[in-house]
Amino acid sequence: MTKQEIEGNLLSPLPVVLVGAMVKGRPNYLVIGYISPFDFGKYIFFSLYKNRYTRIGIHENRTFSVNIPTEDLLAETEICGSKSGKSFDKGALFDTFYGELKTAPMIRQCPINMECEVKEILDYDPNDGIIGRVVKSYVTAHYLADGKLDWRKVHPIIWATGGDFNFYKLGPRISQKES
Ligand SMILES: Cc1cc2nc3c(=O)[nH]c(=O)nc-3n(C[C@H](O)[C@H](O)[C@H](O)COP(=O)(O)O)c2cc1C
């Protein structure tokens, strides 16, 4: 098997998320593809380019939300990943709700939401590395089965790197854990 070197970080595909923050008193959402849970999911780490409008709110309030959009929110997701809150009101695309943190706007239409508090911001110019602690997680009741999240119902939007950069669907479940 011949190996060929290709460009890019190939830890992919991953679900795209909409990160939310309060900027100048309004909720704003952007698409983040470079994101990861760590410390067994207690924290979330993502990469935020420094000129993003959302960054203003994350630095000011030290809070943000992570929302997982579904395939039926593809059009809104594409808007959140291409238009900036500097010149477009992305908060108006969704119904926003708040949990424990009053400055971490979450998207009601997304089945999965997490509110996070910033623990650390790493300077990786021209990006920030944002580390947030997951304060609380929420799921729309419809996506639960026996009190657990049923991913077969969710239909997340999966994003691939490695030069592809397209969106995909999640495939069928191929294992069965004993409960
Ligand atoms: C699939 C996809 C993945 C993206 N991943 C990131 C990312 O990891 N970090 C980032 O700063 N921007 C990322 N972006 C770009 C922002 O979502 C985009 O520039 C957005 O319009 C910024 O909005 P804002 O200025 O309102 O914050 C991504 C966009 C797409 C479509």
Side-chain angles (χ1 to χ4, degrees):
M1 263 185 270
T2 314
K3 291 279 188 183
Q4 197 172 317
E5 191 183 330
I6 72 162
E7 234 176 73
N9 187 323
L10 307 179
L11 181 56
S12 165
L14 295 170
V16 284
V17 306
L18 296 169
V19 164
M22 253 350 231
V23 190
K24 300 180 182 163
R26 286 280 307 153
N28 191 65
Y29 300 102
L30 92 164
V31 174
I32 294 290
Y34 295 101
I35 186 162
S36 170
F38 76 99
D39 195 3
F40 295 93
K42 273 184 255 163
Y43 300 90
I44 285 178
F45 181 46
F46 69 94
S47 155
L48 185 65
Y49 199 65
K50 286 187 179 174
N51 78 347
R52 304 297 186 227
Y53 187 68
T54 314
R55 179 174 179 263
I56 299 170
I58 293 178
H59 276 253
E60 200 172 290
N61 302 307
R62 309 277 300 176
T63 55
F64 63 90
S65 71
V66 173
N67 306 270
I68 300 192
T70 45
E71 286 166 25
D72 58 329
L73 293 172
L74 184 59
E76 289 85 348
T77 300
E78 294 199 288
I79 293 170
C80 289
S82 57
K83 290 189 188 292
S84 176
K86 283 171 206 152
S87 54
F88 187 89
D89 181 10
K90 293 187 276 186
L93 293 169
F94 308 105
D95 297 330
T96 289
F97 74 99
Y98 297 88
E100 191 176 306
L101 306 172
K102 297 302 167 204
T103 51
M106 290 179 275
I107 300 174
R108 196 169 292 283
Q109 287 88 340
C110 289
I112 297 167
N113 320 92
M114 289 173 277
E115 49 177 343
C116 303
E117 63 174 19
V118 171
K119 296 304 284 183
E120 209 173 326
I121 300 181
L122 308 179
D123 188 354
Y124 269 63
D125 203 45
N127 286 276
D128 280 346
I130 309 280
I131 300 175
R133 181 178 74 86
V134 178
V135 172
K136 278 201 175 135
S137 305
Y138 305 87
V139 175
T140 307
H142 168 77
Y143 298 95
L144 295 171
D146 300 328
K148 292 181 198 156
L149 184 52
D150 188 342
W151 280 97
R152 291 167 298 180
K153 294 183 177 175
V154 176
H155 305 295
I157 301 167
I158 310 295
W159 182 56
T161 60
D164 181 316
F165 303 122
N166 284 295
F167 295 129
Y168 289 82
K169 287 170 180 282
L170 179 65
R173 190 165 83 178
I174 57 168
S175 71
Q176 179 64 62
K177 286 265 177 222
E178 302 296 326
S179 53

